[in-house]
Amino acid sequence: MTRTVRLTYATYIGIDIHKYESVHGLIEEFGGRVKQFSQDIRDPDIWYIFFEMPKTQKIEFDNAMDELIGPLK
């Protein structure tokens, strides 16, 4: 059996709707792809962006997100 090394990771973040365009652009700038965007059922002010990102960009992307919306959880 062969082992596969994955070069990407998938995760999500919660944001305010007015930050969507900035966050989506940042994800694409670092080579990621937005997979889904949906609203929280319990809190309509929170929206979730589900995305896939190259592992090689993780540190730089996290640093850029910290500057844009604060630390990722």
Side-chain angles (χ1 to χ4, degrees):
M1 184 153 96
T2 19
R3 184 175 183 148
T4 303
V5 178
R6 300 212 183 265
L7 301 176
T8 62
Y9 69 97
T11 190
Y12 68 94
I13 54 173
I15 62 166
D16 295 329
I17 188 67
H18 67 278
K19 294 184 180 179
Y20 174 79
E21 189 173 325
S22 300
V23 173
H24 189 279
L26 194 63
I27 290 169
E28 289 186 342
E29 181 179 329
F30 282 91
R33 279 185 50 201
V34 172
K35 298 292 194 168
Q36 185 177 353
F37 181 64
S38 57
Q39 189 175 24
D40 190 319
I41 295 171
R42 290 164 277 165
D43 187 352
D45 293 333
I46 298 176
W47 289 78
Y48 294 102
I49 296 179
F50 298 84
F51 63 95
E52 184 177 26
M53 178 72 60
K55 287 182 179 178
T56 57
Q57 299 293 327
K58 183 167 178 32
I59 295 171
E60 292 86 2
F61 174 73
D62 288 347
N63 291 337
M65 285 300 292
D66 286 349
E67 292 176 16
L68 183 64
I69 65 169
L72 297 177
K73 296 175 181 160

